[in-house]
Amino acid sequence: MGESKRTEKTRVLVVGATGYIGKRIVRACLAEGHETYVLQRPEIGLDVEKVQLLLSFKKLGARIVEGSFSDHQSLVSAVKLVDVVVSAMSGVHFRSHNILVQLKLVEAIKEAGNVKRFLPSEFGMDPPRMGHALPPGRETFDQKMEVRQAIEAAGIPYTYIVGACFAAYFAGNLSQMVTLLPPKEKVNIYGDGNVKVVFADEDDIAKYTAKTLNDPRTLNKTVNIRPPDNVLTQIELVQIWEKLTGKELEKTNIAAEDFLANIEQMEIPHQAGIGHFYHIFYEGCLTDHEVGEDEEASSLYPDVKYKRMDDYLRLFL
């Protein structure tokens, strides 16, 4: 039984497949040997890059299935083709904020009745721990909780993947807010810079996600991505860069009250970003709680050789 279970391919549908994390999840699922389906939505219109991305997935062996959030039956039909559904809908204010669209997916999964696991779009801070979060950024967590409640109320088996800062947004820039590149001369340090943060390469997040899909150990569990070597303070991250470049940066420490000082005057996406940075770098919301080995991705899947941040930062030299 165990052997045939392992050789049996898991069929997975990725929704939001052309997005930032979605495209990585598609590739990781294919690499893991899952029979991978990708939802193609009519809203793609004239977005040539997304169309080309879909064609590239097809070339790698993915199957394209049409479906729309405005056509419930098309979603039900798409969902009926697979065992597992992974959603990678965007939930950040400066891109598209689509978290609640997933409620339509929950309805379709509920009606189809065949799905063995649903992974909603999470991949960041753990929503049930963020009830105190600052508005408007808090909306992201409230909406993710709404989706979780719908999943659990419908009795749909799930895995929630949480717990790391995307390296492209938080590591390459040494956690500076308005750039994605390392600063050349000066760096802002949040507080004393000694709060532990978790960083992860987005491709590694996708690899861990692909491995959880048919793992009985992760059924109805929250899996935290917290690779031990990537649990670093901001100061440690800056020091890695200084060591690689042989150049010391001028550091400015920003007190919490100064960091939040003019938040009301900012545009909504910026306010949301400030709030999230505050919870990560001042409160330490990613590392202020214990995570057991059975719920931490790098200990569940030691075969994934995750990218350490010194290797990641070398890309910018």
Short mmCIF file of all heavy atoms in Angstrom, two decimals, residues 210-274:
data_model
loop_
_atom_site.label_atom_id
_atom_site.label_comp_id
_atom_site.label_asym_id
_atom_site.label_seq_id
_atom_site.Cartn_x
_atom_site.Cartn_y
_atom_site.Cartn_z
N ALA A 210 5.50 22.28 -2.59
CA ALA A 210 5.25 21.11 -3.45
C ALA A 210 5.41 19.80 -2.68
O ALA A 210 4.73 18.82 -2.97
CB ALA A 210 6.20 21.14 -4.64
N LYS A 211 6.28 19.80 -1.68
CA LYS A 211 6.49 18.57 -0.90
C LYS A 211 5.38 18.30 0.11
O LYS A 211 5.13 17.16 0.48
CB LYS A 211 7.85 18.63 -0.18
CG LYS A 211 9.00 18.42 -1.13
CD LYS A 211 10.31 18.19 -0.41
CE LYS A 211 11.43 17.89 -1.40
NZ LYS A 211 11.29 16.60 -2.08
N THR A 212 4.70 19.35 0.57
CA THR A 212 3.66 19.15 1.59
C THR A 212 2.37 18.56 1.01
O THR A 212 1.58 17.97 1.74
CB THR A 212 3.25 20.48 2.27
OG1 THR A 212 2.63 21.33 1.30
CG2 THR A 212 4.42 21.18 2.91
N LEU A 213 2.16 18.72 -0.29
CA LEU A 213 0.85 18.45 -0.90
C LEU A 213 0.25 17.09 -0.58
O LEU A 213 -0.94 16.96 -0.37
CB LEU A 213 0.92 18.57 -2.43
CG LEU A 213 1.42 19.89 -3.01
CD1 LEU A 213 1.25 19.91 -4.51
CD2 LEU A 213 0.69 21.07 -2.39
N ASN A 214 1.11 16.06 -0.61
CA ASN A 214 0.58 14.71 -0.38
C ASN A 214 1.25 14.06 0.83
O ASN A 214 1.30 12.85 0.95
CB ASN A 214 0.79 13.83 -1.63
CG ASN A 214 2.25 13.82 -2.07
OD1 ASN A 214 3.07 14.51 -1.46
ND2 ASN A 214 2.56 13.08 -3.12
N ASP A 215 1.78 14.90 1.71
CA ASP A 215 2.46 14.39 2.91
C ASP A 215 1.44 14.28 4.05
O ASP A 215 0.88 15.28 4.48
CB ASP A 215 3.58 15.37 3.29
CG ASP A 215 4.43 14.86 4.45
OD1 ASP A 215 4.00 13.91 5.14
OD2 ASP A 215 5.53 15.40 4.67
N PRO A 216 1.19 13.04 4.54
CA PRO A 216 0.20 12.90 5.62
C PRO A 216 0.56 13.69 6.88
O PRO A 216 -0.30 14.08 7.65
CB PRO A 216 0.19 11.39 5.90
CG PRO A 216 1.37 10.82 5.19
CD PRO A 216 1.76 11.76 4.10
N ARG A 217 1.87 13.96 7.05
CA ARG A 217 2.31 14.70 8.25
C ARG A 217 1.85 16.14 8.25
O ARG A 217 1.84 16.80 9.29
CB ARG A 217 3.85 14.68 8.35
CG ARG A 217 4.45 13.30 8.49
CD ARG A 217 5.97 13.37 8.44
NE ARG A 217 6.44 13.90 7.16
CZ ARG A 217 7.73 14.16 6.88
NH1 ARG A 217 8.66 13.96 7.81
NH2 ARG A 217 8.08 14.64 5.70
N THR A 218 1.50 16.66 7.06
CA THR A 218 1.14 18.09 6.98
C THR A 218 -0.36 18.30 6.80
O THR A 218 -0.81 19.43 6.62
CB THR A 218 1.89 18.77 5.82
OG1 THR A 218 1.55 18.11 4.59
CG2 THR A 218 3.40 18.70 6.02
N LEU A 219 -1.13 17.22 6.89
CA LEU A 219 -2.58 17.33 6.70
C LEU A 219 -3.22 18.08 7.87
O LEU A 219 -2.99 17.76 9.04
CB LEU A 219 -3.18 15.92 6.59
CG LEU A 219 -4.69 15.84 6.37
CD1 LEU A 219 -5.08 16.51 5.06
CD2 LEU A 219 -5.17 14.40 6.38
N ASN A 220 -4.01 19.10 7.54
CA ASN A 220 -4.70 19.95 8.55
C ASN A 220 -3.71 20.54 9.55
O ASN A 220 -3.99 20.65 10.74
CB ASN A 220 -5.80 19.16 9.27
CG ASN A 220 -6.90 18.74 8.31
OD1 ASN A 220 -7.11 19.37 7.28
ND2 ASN A 220 -7.60 17.68 8.63
N LYS A 221 -2.55 20.93 9.02
CA LYS A 221 -1.49 21.52 9.86
C LYS A 221 -1.04 22.84 9.26
O LYS A 221 -1.19 23.10 8.07
CB LYS A 221 -0.26 20.59 9.88
CG LYS A 221 -0.40 19.31 10.69
CD LYS A 221 0.15 19.53 12.10
CE LYS A 221 0.08 18.30 12.97
NZ LYS A 221 1.02 17.27 12.57
N THR A 222 -0.43 23.64 10.11
CA THR A 222 0.28 24.84 9.65
C THR A 222 1.75 24.47 9.58
O THR A 222 2.32 24.00 10.56
CB THR A 222 0.08 26.01 10.64
OG1 THR A 222 -1.31 26.35 10.64
CG2 THR A 222 0.89 27.22 10.22
N VAL A 223 2.35 24.65 8.41
CA VAL A 223 3.77 24.37 8.24
C VAL A 223 4.51 25.70 8.20
O VAL A 223 4.17 26.59 7.41
CB VAL A 223 4.02 23.59 6.92
CG1 VAL A 223 5.53 23.43 6.67
CG2 VAL A 223 3.36 22.22 6.98
N ASN A 224 5.48 25.84 9.08
CA ASN A 224 6.27 27.07 9.15
C ASN A 224 7.55 26.91 8.35
O ASN A 224 8.24 25.90 8.49
CB ASN A 224 6.66 27.38 10.60
CG ASN A 224 5.47 27.82 11.42
OD1 ASN A 224 5.26 29.00 11.64
ND2 ASN A 224 4.69 26.85 11.89
N ILE A 225 7.86 27.90 7.53
CA ILE A 225 9.15 27.89 6.84
C ILE A 225 10.10 28.71 7.70
O ILE A 225 9.98 29.93 7.78
CB ILE A 225 9.00 28.44 5.41
CG1 ILE A 225 8.15 27.45 4.60
CG2 ILE A 225 10.36 28.65 4.77
CD1 ILE A 225 7.83 27.87 3.20
N ARG A 226 10.97 28.00 8.40
CA ARG A 226 11.90 28.67 9.30
C ARG A 226 13.25 27.97 9.25
O ARG A 226 13.69 27.34 10.21
CB ARG A 226 11.33 28.63 10.73
CG ARG A 226 11.97 29.68 11.63
CD ARG A 226 11.56 29.51 13.08
NE ARG A 226 10.28 30.11 13.41
CZ ARG A 226 9.85 30.28 14.66
NH1 ARG A 226 10.58 29.88 15.68
NH2 ARG A 226 8.66 30.83 14.89
N PRO A 227 13.95 28.06 8.10
CA PRO A 227 15.24 27.37 7.98
C PRO A 227 16.24 27.94 8.98
O PRO A 227 16.48 29.15 8.97
CB PRO A 227 15.68 27.65 6.54
CG PRO A 227 14.53 28.35 5.88
CD PRO A 227 13.66 28.91 6.95
N PRO A 228 16.79 27.11 9.88
CA PRO A 228 17.57 27.63 11.01
C PRO A 228 18.68 28.61 10.63
O PRO A 228 18.87 29.63 11.29
CB PRO A 228 18.17 26.38 11.65
CG PRO A 228 17.45 25.22 11.07
CD PRO A 228 16.69 25.65 9.87
N ASP A 229 19.41 28.35 9.52
CA ASP A 229 20.52 29.25 9.15
C ASP A 229 20.02 30.58 8.61
O ASP A 229 20.81 31.51 8.44
CB ASP A 229 21.42 28.59 8.10
CG ASP A 229 22.19 27.42 8.69
OD1 ASP A 229 22.19 27.27 9.94
OD2 ASP A 229 22.80 26.65 7.92
N ASN A 230 18.73 30.67 8.32
CA ASN A 230 18.18 31.92 7.78
C ASN A 230 17.36 32.68 8.81
O ASN A 230 16.62 33.60 8.47
CB ASN A 230 17.32 31.63 6.55
CG ASN A 230 18.16 31.25 5.34
OD1 ASN A 230 19.38 31.25 5.40
ND2 ASN A 230 17.51 30.90 4.25
N VAL A 231 17.47 32.29 10.07
CA VAL A 231 16.85 33.06 11.15
C VAL A 231 17.93 34.04 11.62
O VAL A 231 18.86 33.69 12.33
CB VAL A 231 16.37 32.15 12.31
CG1 VAL A 231 15.74 32.99 13.42
CG2 VAL A 231 15.37 31.12 11.80
N LEU A 232 17.81 35.26 11.13
CA LEU A 232 18.86 36.26 11.33
C LEU A 232 18.27 37.57 11.81
O LEU A 232 17.12 37.89 11.50
CB LEU A 232 19.56 36.55 9.98
CG LEU A 232 20.20 35.38 9.24
CD1 LEU A 232 20.48 35.79 7.80
CD2 LEU A 232 21.49 34.97 9.93
N THR A 233 19.07 38.35 12.51
CA THR A 233 18.64 39.72 12.82
C THR A 233 18.98 40.60 11.62
O THR A 233 19.78 40.20 10.76
CB THR A 233 19.37 40.27 14.06
OG1 THR A 233 20.77 40.38 13.72
CG2 THR A 233 19.20 39.36 15.26
N GLN A 234 18.40 41.78 11.58
CA GLN A 234 18.75 42.69 10.48
C GLN A 234 20.24 43.04 10.51
O GLN A 234 20.89 43.10 9.47
CB GLN A 234 17.90 43.97 10.54
CG GLN A 234 18.05 44.81 9.27
CD GLN A 234 17.57 46.25 9.44
OE1 GLN A 234 17.13 46.66 10.51
NE2 GLN A 234 17.66 47.02 8.36
N ILE A 235 20.76 43.22 11.72
CA ILE A 235 22.20 43.53 11.85
C ILE A 235 23.04 42.39 11.27
O ILE A 235 24.01 42.63 10.54
CB ILE A 235 22.58 43.78 13.35
CG1 ILE A 235 22.09 45.16 13.80
CG2 ILE A 235 24.07 43.63 13.59
CD1 ILE A 235 22.89 46.34 13.27
N GLU A 236 22.66 41.15 11.56
CA GLU A 236 23.42 40.00 11.03
C GLU A 236 23.36 39.98 9.50
O GLU A 236 24.36 39.68 8.84
CB GLU A 236 22.87 38.69 11.60
CG GLU A 236 23.25 38.48 13.06
CD GLU A 236 22.51 37.31 13.73
OE1 GLU A 236 21.38 36.97 13.32
OE2 GLU A 236 23.09 36.74 14.67
N LEU A 237 22.21 40.31 8.94
CA LEU A 237 22.06 40.35 7.48
C LEU A 237 22.99 41.42 6.89
O LEU A 237 23.71 41.16 5.92
CB LEU A 237 20.60 40.66 7.13
CG LEU A 237 20.23 40.60 5.64
CD1 LEU A 237 20.22 39.17 5.13
CD2 LEU A 237 18.86 41.24 5.39
N VAL A 238 22.99 42.60 7.52
CA VAL A 238 23.85 43.69 7.06
C VAL A 238 25.33 43.28 7.17
O VAL A 238 26.12 43.53 6.25
CB VAL A 238 23.58 44.99 7.87
CG1 VAL A 238 24.64 46.06 7.61
CG2 VAL A 238 22.18 45.52 7.56
N GLN A 239 25.67 42.59 8.25
CA GLN A 239 27.07 42.16 8.44
C GLN A 239 27.51 41.15 7.38
O GLN A 239 28.66 41.16 6.95
CB GLN A 239 27.26 41.59 9.85
CG GLN A 239 27.29 42.69 10.91
CD GLN A 239 27.17 42.15 12.34
OE1 GLN A 239 26.77 40.99 12.55
NE2 GLN A 239 27.50 42.99 13.31
N ILE A 240 26.57 40.29 6.96
CA ILE A 240 26.90 39.33 5.89
C ILE A 240 27.28 40.11 4.63
O ILE A 240 28.27 39.81 3.96
CB ILE A 240 25.71 38.38 5.60
CG1 ILE A 240 25.47 37.42 6.77
CG2 ILE A 240 25.93 37.59 4.30
CD1 ILE A 240 24.17 36.60 6.67
N TRP A 241 26.49 41.14 4.32
CA TRP A 241 26.76 41.96 3.13
C TRP A 241 28.08 42.72 3.26
O TRP A 241 28.88 42.79 2.33
CB TRP A 241 25.60 42.93 2.89
CG TRP A 241 25.80 43.85 1.72
CD1 TRP A 241 25.96 45.20 1.74
CD2 TRP A 241 25.86 43.47 0.34
NE1 TRP A 241 26.11 45.69 0.47
CE2 TRP A 241 26.06 44.65 -0.42
CE3 TRP A 241 25.77 42.25 -0.34
CZ2 TRP A 241 26.18 44.66 -1.81
CZ3 TRP A 241 25.88 42.25 -1.74
CH2 TRP A 241 26.08 43.43 -2.45
N GLU A 242 28.32 43.28 4.45
CA GLU A 242 29.57 44.03 4.67
C GLU A 242 30.78 43.10 4.51
O GLU A 242 31.80 43.50 3.95
CB GLU A 242 29.55 44.66 6.08
CG GLU A 242 28.57 45.82 6.18
CD GLU A 242 28.48 46.41 7.59
OE1 GLU A 242 28.74 45.68 8.58
OE2 GLU A 242 28.14 47.60 7.70
N LYS A 243 30.64 41.89 4.97
CA LYS A 243 31.74 40.92 4.85
C LYS A 243 31.98 40.57 3.38
O LYS A 243 33.11 40.48 2.91
CB LYS A 243 31.40 39.67 5.66
CG LYS A 243 32.58 38.75 5.90
CD LYS A 243 32.20 37.60 6.81
CE LYS A 243 33.30 36.53 6.77
NZ LYS A 243 32.87 35.29 7.42
N LEU A 244 30.88 40.38 2.63
CA LEU A 244 31.00 40.04 1.21
C LEU A 244 31.63 41.17 0.40
O LEU A 244 32.40 40.93 -0.52
CB LEU A 244 29.62 39.71 0.62
CG LEU A 244 28.97 38.39 1.00
CD1 LEU A 244 27.53 38.32 0.50
CD2 LEU A 244 29.76 37.19 0.44
N THR A 245 31.29 42.42 0.76
CA THR A 245 31.78 43.57 -0.03
C THR A 245 33.06 44.16 0.55
O THR A 245 33.74 44.94 -0.12
CB THR A 245 30.72 44.70 -0.06
OG1 THR A 245 30.42 45.07 1.29
CG2 THR A 245 29.47 44.25 -0.76
N GLY A 246 33.36 43.81 1.80
CA GLY A 246 34.53 44.40 2.45
C GLY A 246 34.34 45.88 2.75
O GLY A 246 35.29 46.63 2.90
N LYS A 247 33.08 46.31 2.83
CA LYS A 247 32.81 47.74 3.06
C LYS A 247 31.76 47.91 4.15
O LYS A 247 30.71 47.28 4.10
CB LYS A 247 32.30 48.34 1.74
CG LYS A 247 32.00 49.82 1.86
CD LYS A 247 31.47 50.38 0.57
CE LYS A 247 31.12 51.85 0.74
NZ LYS A 247 30.51 52.46 -0.43
N GLU A 248 32.06 48.78 5.10
CA GLU A 248 31.10 49.01 6.18
C GLU A 248 30.11 50.10 5.78
O GLU A 248 30.48 51.12 5.19
CB GLU A 248 31.84 49.43 7.45
CG GLU A 248 31.02 49.18 8.69
CD GLU A 248 31.82 49.41 9.99
OE1 GLU A 248 33.01 49.05 10.03
OE2 GLU A 248 31.22 49.95 10.92
N LEU A 249 28.83 49.86 6.08
CA LEU A 249 27.79 50.85 5.76
C LEU A 249 27.54 51.76 6.96
O LEU A 249 27.69 51.34 8.11
CB LEU A 249 26.48 50.14 5.39
CG LEU A 249 26.50 49.27 4.12
CD1 LEU A 249 25.22 48.45 4.04
CD2 LEU A 249 26.66 50.12 2.88
N GLU A 250 27.16 52.98 6.67
CA GLU A 250 26.80 53.92 7.74
C GLU A 250 25.38 53.57 8.20
O GLU A 250 24.45 53.50 7.40
CB GLU A 250 26.84 55.33 7.17
CG GLU A 250 26.61 56.42 8.19
CD GLU A 250 26.45 57.79 7.51
OE1 GLU A 250 27.22 58.08 6.57
OE2 GLU A 250 25.53 58.52 7.91
N LYS A 251 25.25 53.34 9.53
CA LYS A 251 23.96 52.84 10.04
C LYS A 251 23.19 53.92 10.79
O LYS A 251 23.76 54.65 11.60
CB LYS A 251 24.20 51.64 10.97
CG LYS A 251 24.87 50.48 10.24
CD LYS A 251 25.36 49.39 11.19
CE LYS A 251 26.18 48.37 10.44
NZ LYS A 251 27.48 48.89 9.94
N THR A 252 21.89 54.00 10.51
CA THR A 252 21.01 54.92 11.23
C THR A 252 19.94 54.09 11.93
O THR A 252 19.18 53.38 11.28
CB THR A 252 20.31 55.90 10.25
OG1 THR A 252 21.31 56.57 9.50
CG2 THR A 252 19.45 56.91 11.00
N ASN A 253 19.93 54.16 13.26
CA ASN A 253 18.90 53.42 14.00
C ASN A 253 17.62 54.22 14.05
O ASN A 253 17.64 55.41 14.36
CB ASN A 253 19.38 53.13 15.43
CG ASN A 253 20.57 52.19 15.43
OD1 ASN A 253 21.68 52.60 15.13
ND2 ASN A 253 20.33 50.94 15.74
N ILE A 254 16.51 53.56 13.73
CA ILE A 254 15.21 54.24 13.72
C ILE A 254 14.35 53.69 14.85
O ILE A 254 14.03 52.49 14.87
CB ILE A 254 14.50 54.06 12.37
CG1 ILE A 254 15.39 54.64 11.26
CG2 ILE A 254 13.14 54.72 12.37
CD1 ILE A 254 14.87 54.42 9.87
N ALA A 255 13.99 54.56 15.77
CA ALA A 255 13.15 54.14 16.91
C ALA A 255 11.74 53.83 16.40
O ALA A 255 11.29 54.41 15.40
CB ALA A 255 13.09 55.25 17.95
N ALA A 256 11.05 52.95 17.10
CA ALA A 256 9.71 52.51 16.68
C ALA A 256 8.76 53.70 16.47
O ALA A 256 8.05 53.76 15.46
CB ALA A 256 9.13 51.54 17.70
N GLU A 257 8.78 54.65 17.42
CA GLU A 257 7.82 55.76 17.30
C GLU A 257 8.13 56.63 16.08
O GLU A 257 7.24 57.17 15.44
CB GLU A 257 7.74 56.60 18.59
CG GLU A 257 9.05 57.16 19.09
CD GLU A 257 9.84 56.18 19.99
OE1 GLU A 257 9.57 54.97 19.94
OE2 GLU A 257 10.71 56.66 20.73
N ASP A 258 9.42 56.75 15.72
CA ASP A 258 9.79 57.52 14.52
C ASP A 258 9.38 56.76 13.26
O ASP A 258 8.95 57.36 12.27
CB ASP A 258 11.30 57.80 14.49
CG ASP A 258 11.73 58.69 15.66
OD1 ASP A 258 10.87 59.46 16.13
OD2 ASP A 258 12.89 58.61 16.10
N PHE A 259 9.53 55.45 13.31
CA PHE A 259 9.18 54.62 12.16
C PHE A 259 7.69 54.75 11.82
O PHE A 259 7.30 54.81 10.67
CB PHE A 259 9.54 53.16 12.43
CG PHE A 259 9.34 52.26 11.25
CD1 PHE A 259 10.19 52.33 10.14
CD2 PHE A 259 8.31 51.32 11.21
CE1 PHE A 259 10.01 51.51 9.03
CE2 PHE A 259 8.12 50.50 10.11
CZ PHE A 259 8.97 50.59 9.02
N LEU A 260 6.87 54.85 12.88
CA LEU A 260 5.41 54.93 12.68
C LEU A 260 4.89 56.36 12.61
O LEU A 260 3.69 56.58 12.39
CB LEU A 260 4.69 54.19 13.82
CG LEU A 260 4.91 52.68 13.92
CD1 LEU A 260 4.25 52.13 15.17
CD2 LEU A 260 4.38 51.97 12.69
N ALA A 261 5.79 57.33 12.78
CA ALA A 261 5.38 58.73 12.99
C ALA A 261 4.37 59.29 11.99
O ALA A 261 3.34 59.80 12.39
CB ALA A 261 6.61 59.63 13.05
N ASN A 262 4.64 59.21 10.70
CA ASN A 262 3.76 59.90 9.74
C ASN A 262 2.87 58.94 8.96
O ASN A 262 2.44 59.23 7.85
CB ASN A 262 4.61 60.72 8.75
CG ASN A 262 5.48 61.71 9.49
OD1 ASN A 262 5.00 62.42 10.37
ND2 ASN A 262 6.76 61.74 9.16
N ILE A 263 2.61 57.80 9.55
CA ILE A 263 1.92 56.73 8.81
C ILE A 263 0.58 57.18 8.22
O ILE A 263 0.24 56.84 7.09
CB ILE A 263 1.79 55.45 9.69
CG1 ILE A 263 1.33 54.25 8.84
CG2 ILE A 263 0.89 55.65 10.89
CD1 ILE A 263 1.53 52.90 9.51
N GLU A 264 -0.17 58.03 8.93
CA GLU A 264 -1.50 58.44 8.44
C GLU A 264 -1.43 59.26 7.16
O GLU A 264 -2.38 59.27 6.38
CB GLU A 264 -2.28 59.26 9.49
CG GLU A 264 -2.80 58.46 10.66
CD GLU A 264 -1.75 58.30 11.77
OE1 GLU A 264 -0.68 58.95 11.67
OE2 GLU A 264 -2.00 57.53 12.70
N GLN A 265 -0.31 59.94 6.95
CA GLN A 265 -0.21 60.80 5.75
C GLN A 265 0.16 60.02 4.49
O GLN A 265 0.15 60.57 3.39
CB GLN A 265 0.85 61.90 5.97
CG GLN A 265 0.35 63.07 6.78
CD GLN A 265 0.71 62.93 8.26
OE1 GLN A 265 1.88 62.90 8.62
NE2 GLN A 265 -0.30 62.84 9.11
N MET A 266 0.50 58.75 4.65
CA MET A 266 1.00 58.00 3.50
C MET A 266 -0.13 57.37 2.68
O MET A 266 -1.24 57.24 3.14
CB MET A 266 1.93 56.88 3.99
CG MET A 266 3.17 57.42 4.67
SD MET A 266 4.03 56.09 5.53
CE MET A 266 5.28 57.05 6.39
N GLU A 267 0.23 56.99 1.46
CA GLU A 267 -0.70 56.23 0.61
C GLU A 267 -1.00 54.90 1.30
O GLU A 267 -0.14 54.36 2.00
CB GLU A 267 -0.05 55.94 -0.76
CG GLU A 267 0.32 57.17 -1.56
CD GLU A 267 -0.88 57.79 -2.24
OE1 GLU A 267 -1.65 57.04 -2.84
OE2 GLU A 267 -1.04 59.02 -2.16
N ILE A 268 -2.18 54.33 1.02
CA ILE A 268 -2.60 53.08 1.67
C ILE A 268 -1.57 51.94 1.51
O ILE A 268 -1.19 51.30 2.49
CB ILE A 268 -4.00 52.63 1.16
CG1 ILE A 268 -5.08 53.63 1.62
CG2 ILE A 268 -4.35 51.22 1.65
CD1 ILE A 268 -5.39 53.66 3.10
N PRO A 269 -1.07 51.67 0.28
CA PRO A 269 -0.11 50.56 0.15
C PRO A 269 1.13 50.77 1.03
O PRO A 269 1.66 49.82 1.60
CB PRO A 269 0.27 50.56 -1.34
CG PRO A 269 -0.86 51.24 -2.01
CD PRO A 269 -1.38 52.26 -1.03
N HIS A 270 1.56 52.03 1.13
CA HIS A 270 2.75 52.33 1.93
C HIS A 270 2.44 52.14 3.43
O HIS A 270 3.26 51.60 4.17
CB HIS A 270 3.24 53.75 1.64
CG HIS A 270 4.66 53.97 2.05
ND1 HIS A 270 5.71 53.29 1.46
CD2 HIS A 270 5.22 54.76 3.00
CE1 HIS A 270 6.86 53.67 2.04
NE2 HIS A 270 6.57 54.57 2.97
N GLN A 271 1.26 52.57 3.83
CA GLN A 271 0.84 52.36 5.23
C GLN A 271 0.86 50.87 5.57
O GLN A 271 1.32 50.47 6.64
CB GLN A 271 -0.59 52.88 5.45
CG GLN A 271 -0.71 54.39 5.51
CD GLN A 271 -2.13 54.79 5.91
OE1 GLN A 271 -2.78 54.13 6.71
NE2 GLN A 271 -2.61 55.90 5.37
N ALA A 272 0.34 50.06 4.65
CA ALA A 272 0.28 48.61 4.88
C ALA A 272 1.70 48.05 5.02
O ALA A 272 1.98 47.26 5.92
CB ALA A 272 -0.45 47.92 3.72
N GLY A 273 2.58 48.52 4.14
CA GLY A 273 3.98 48.05 4.18
C GLY A 273 4.66 48.43 5.48
O GLY A 273 5.34 47.59 6.10
N ILE A 274 4.47 49.67 5.92
CA ILE A 274 5.05 50.15 7.18
C ILE A 274 4.58 49.26 8.34
O ILE A 274 5.37 48.83 9.18
CB ILE A 274 4.64 51.63 7.45
CG1 ILE A 274 5.34 52.56 6.46
CG2 ILE A 274 4.90 52.03 8.89
CD1 ILE A 274 6.66 53.12 6.91
#
